[in-house]
């Protein structure tokens, strides 16, 4: 028997074994992924498809009097001024989240990272707002903003600044800004911890070498640490944008979307449409539109932020 024939005879029985190993591997993968696929199907894919299906109905959510209206709810949504106002408020919330939350969180992270071990107590104190319930924070600041007995107006009157005292949550000009200020206060600690984690991965020996070469702390931050954090900054900006488009609880507790829809966001509008006006079909259209908008904005934000990525 030649050497070539021997190799052929050995290879032939190996092929079924290789195929069997591949089948076993795919079986293990399928078994491990099955629970996740089932959970995603039950709690994400099915509700999403159901929402799109309900958006084609005129139904109050009670009884069996649902009427198929095709795309009428979507046509109504396209001409709904309140919905576009709510979407605009969501976008404003996203813009101010990036312009306020991220810079303040980055500044706090840099200061705490510089302080070292002595900053442990400060880290705990700064992190406390994130540990509080959004409902509790909403109730707390609703009392703070109270036009008659709230600490804010009382302090303004005490310092002789009567002209600055406002009905913060009852005035259409200040309601949205007042809620955005509270949202920023609550979420800044999250981004602070995110940036602290990024700063902790910066090699200390690089900073020490730069100091020996005469570089200032300011130069080290702008030329080394900030480029090192670019991935963290992109992640924080993306989370801020997506979170602002889905925000609900704190705004609902503080203003309920009022007055006159001045602080309305898409989630509060959807909630009021379904549970106050009992328009389940139209509310489902709002919810489906929210999903599409969040998906499109998130994809666009990822594409834009990735274009600014540079190699460090």
């Amino acid at each position: 028997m030649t050497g070539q024939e021997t190799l052929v005879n050995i290879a032939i029985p190996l092929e079924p074994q290789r195929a069997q190993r591949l089948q076993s591997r795919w079986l293990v993968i399928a078994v491990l992924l099955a629970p996740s696929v089932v959970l995603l199907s039950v709690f994400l894919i099915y509700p999403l498809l159901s929402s799109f299906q309900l958006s084609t109905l005129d139904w109050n959510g009670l009884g069996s009097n649902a009427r198929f209206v095709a795309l009428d709810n979507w046509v109504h949504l396209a001409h709904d001024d309140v919905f576009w106002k709510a979407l605009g408020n969501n976008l404003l919330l996203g813009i101010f989240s990036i312009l306020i939350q991220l810079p303040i969180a980055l500044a706090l992270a840099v200061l705490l990272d510089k302080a070292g071990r002595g900053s442990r107590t400060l880290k705990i104190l700064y992190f406390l707002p994130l540990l509080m319930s959004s409902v509790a924070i909403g109730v707390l600041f609703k009392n703070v903003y109270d036009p008659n007995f709230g600490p804010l107006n009382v302090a303004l009157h005490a310092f002789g600044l009567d002209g600055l005292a406002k009905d913060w949550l009852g005035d259409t000009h200040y309601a949205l800004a007042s809620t955005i200020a509270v949202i920023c206060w609550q979420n800044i600690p999250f981004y602070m911890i995110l940036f602290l984690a990024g700063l902790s991965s910066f090699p200390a020996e690089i900073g020490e070498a730069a100091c020996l070469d005469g570089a200032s702390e300011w130069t080290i931050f702008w030329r080394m640490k900030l480029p090192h954090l670019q991935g963290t900054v992109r992640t924080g900006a993306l989370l801020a944008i997506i979170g602002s488009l889905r925000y609900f609880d704190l705004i609902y507790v503080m203003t309920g979307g009022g007055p006159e829809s001045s602080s309305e966001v898409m989630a509060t509008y959807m909630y009021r449409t379904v549970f106050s006006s009992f328009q389940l079909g139209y509310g489902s259209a709002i919810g489906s539109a929210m999903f599409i908008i969040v998906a499109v904005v998130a994809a666009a934000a990822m594409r834009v932020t990735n274009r600014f990525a540079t190699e460090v």
Side-chain angles (χ1 to χ4, degrees), residues 23-235:
Q23 290 178 357
S24 301
R25 183 180 301 174
W26 282 110
L27 180 61
V28 171
I29 292 173
V31 170
L32 293 176
L33 288 178
S36 299
V37 172
V38 171
L39 290 175
L40 284 174
S41 300
V42 173
F43 294 105
L44 180 63
I45 297 175
Y46 172 74
L48 181 62
L49 296 177
S50 178
S51 177
F52 278 99
Q53 187 267 330
L54 289 173
S55 70
T56 63
L57 304 177
D58 178 14
W59 187 33
N60 61 4
L62 302 173
S64 57
N65 56 344
R67 182 169 62 90
F68 180 72
V69 293
L71 298 178
D72 286 359
N73 286 327
W74 290 90
V75 173
H76 182 200
L77 186 67
H79 297 86
D80 190 343
D81 293 336
V82 178
F83 174 77
W84 292 111
K85 174 71 173 177
L87 175 58
N89 289 340
N90 276 115
L91 295 177
L92 283 175
L93 177 58
I95 292 171
F96 283 107
S97 294
I98 294 175
L99 296 179
I100 297 175
Q101 294 181 35
L102 297 189
I104 295 177
L106 180 58
L108 290 174
V110 171
L111 292 174
L112 292 176
D113 182 66
K114 189 67 178 175
R117 293 186 177 180
S119 64
R120 289 180 179 178
T121 303
L122 291 176
K123 288 178 183 178
I124 295 172
L125 291 176
Y126 290 152
F127 196 68
L128 284 178
L130 195 62
L131 299 178
M132 297 175 61
S133 164
S134 294
V135 175
I137 292 176
V139 173
L140 172 65
F141 276 92
K142 191 172 184 179
N143 291 321
V144 170
Y145 285 132
D146 187 277
N148 299 314
F149 309 104
L152 179 56
N153 278 354
V154 169
L156 292 173
H157 288 304
F159 286 102
L161 302 173
D162 297 353
L164 297 179
K166 309 289 183 183
D167 184 2
W168 300 101
L169 299 180
D171 192 317
T172 56
H173 296 94
Y174 301 104
L176 181 62
S178 300
T179 54
I180 288 177
V182 179
I183 291 170
C184 290
W185 177 82
Q186 181 191 21
N187 291 303
I188 283 174
F190 170 78
Y191 299 105
M192 180 192 73
I193 296 298
L194 193 67
F195 289 134
L196 273 174
L199 288 171
S200 66
S201 64
F202 180 77
E205 57 273 12
I206 295 180
E208 293 171 358
C211 286
L212 292 175
D213 289 338
S216 64
E217 289 290 339
W218 187 255
T219 303
I220 293 174
F221 173 74
W222 282 105
R223 298 294 181 87
M224 298 180 179
K225 291 186 177 180
L226 192 57
H228 177 76
L229 289 174
Q230 62 175 323
T232 307
V233 172
R234 291 200 305 270
T235 301

Side-chain angles (χ1 to χ4, degrees), residues 173-307:
H173 296 94
Y174 301 104
L176 181 62
S178 300
T179 54
I180 288 177
V182 179
I183 291 170
C184 290
W185 177 82
Q186 181 191 21
N187 291 303
I188 283 174
F190 170 78
Y191 299 105
M192 180 192 73
I193 296 298
L194 193 67
F195 289 134
L196 273 174
L199 288 171
S200 66
S201 64
F202 180 77
E205 57 273 12
I206 295 180
E208 293 171 358
C211 286
L212 292 175
D213 289 338
S216 64
E217 289 290 339
W218 187 255
T219 303
I220 293 174
F221 173 74
W222 282 105
R223 298 294 181 87
M224 298 180 179
K225 291 186 177 180
L226 192 57
H228 177 76
L229 289 174
Q230 62 175 323
T232 307
V233 172
R234 291 200 305 270
T235 301
L238 186 62
L239 291 175
I241 292 172
I242 295 175
S244 65
L245 292 174
R246 301 169 54 247
Y247 214 85
F248 169 74
D249 43 9
L250 194 145
I251 292 178
Y252 182 78
V253 172
M254 292 183 66
T255 65
E260 299 178 12
S261 301
S262 59
S263 62
E264 193 83 83
V265 292
M266 290 186 291
T268 58
Y269 187 43
M270 177 185 67
Y271 180 87
R272 291 195 302 105
T273 300
V274 174
F275 295 101
S276 296
S277 302
F278 295 100
Q279 300 178 43
L280 181 61
Y282 189 54
S284 297
I286 297 173
S288 301
M290 278 182 60
F291 169 79
I292 295 173
I293 292 170
V294 171
V296 170
V297 172
M302 290 180 64
R303 187 176 182 84
V304 170
T305 54
N306 287 334
R307 291 184 63 181

